[in-house]
Amino acid sequence: MDIQLNFINRSNDANNSEIVIFSKNTSTGYSEVAVAWLVIQNCGQNESHPFVYPETSQVGSSDSWGNYSARLDAEPGQAFAVTMTSSGDTLAAAGEANYPTEIQIANNLEKGAINALIFKDGKLFASKTSVAPQQMAAFEFKPTISICVASEVVQGQ
């Protein structure tokens, strides 16, 4: 079930700061930078910004040649793999993940790194870049989102 949320700016900040909403991939080390999933701009004092945090996620990938896969619906406990087919690199379901709380994307190519991508509500939610051949990216998210105030933040980065 999707979660309906409403950000209300009750701050005294008159600098027109941006509000960044993100989640941390808990399956990785602390050095990985989170993706700015949603950036709320120009939300003045006492204004609100409703948004939806969807239950569903999608996986995708991009390869060393600049190609992007189609997005596939994904749930924790599912595994996916990028493999070379007669038509080129293809992302497809690959059974169950090693851990039931993770979404996993393996690079089964013989050469070329991939970027493993997670999307929510059509927007980039998390990524693991430069996944080498025969390596895997794992994504696990606690039921928590983080909200911070920043400036010059770009959604999806």
Side-chain angles (χ1 to χ4, degrees):
M1 175 165 54
D2 292 347
I3 300 170
Q4 307 288 327
L5 296 167
N6 188 29
F7 169 79
I8 301 172
N9 183 357
R10 300 239 191 257
S11 76
N12 293 322
D13 179 11
N15 294 324
N16 195 20
S17 298
E18 297 166 339
I19 309 305
V20 181
I21 300 174
F22 62 96
S23 186
K24 178 78 171 120
N25 180 5
T26 60
S27 176
T28 63
Y30 291 109
S31 62
E32 185 173 315
V33 177
V35 172
W37 173 61
L38 180 63
V39 177
I40 299 171
Q41 298 175 316
N42 302 315
C43 188
Q45 291 173 333
N46 297 314
E47 288 188 336
S48 65
H49 186 98
F51 64 98
V52 175
Y53 181 82
E55 179 181 0
T56 59
S57 299
Q58 293 81 40
V59 295
S61 66
S62 62
D63 63 22
S64 297
W65 297 272
N67 303 310
Y68 285 81
S69 70
R71 296 178 189 170
L72 305 173
D73 289 340
E75 295 181 13
Q78 289 185 301
F80 299 84
V82 176
T83 57
M84 175 60 81
T85 66
S86 60
S87 67
D89 296 349
T90 303
L91 174 68
E96 294 182 9
N98 298 340
Y99 298 98
T101 55
E102 291 183 350
I103 297 172
Q104 298 173 339
I105 304 172
N107 179 353
N108 289 347
L109 300 174
E110 290 186 27
K111 63 180 180 176
I114 66 164
N115 297 321
L117 311 170
I118 301 289
F119 296 87
K120 281 197 174 285
D121 197 30
K123 298 182 272 300
L124 185 62
F125 188 71
S127 68
K128 177 67 176 161
T129 59
S130 302
V131 179
Q134 308 313 310
Q135 298 295 312
M136 177 187 65
F139 298 92
E140 179 179 2
F141 303 99
K142 301 294 182 203
T144 304
I145 58 172
S146 297
I147 300 174
C148 72
V149 177
S151 60
E152 299 182 22
V153 176
V154 177
Q155 187 167 292
Q157 293 185 355

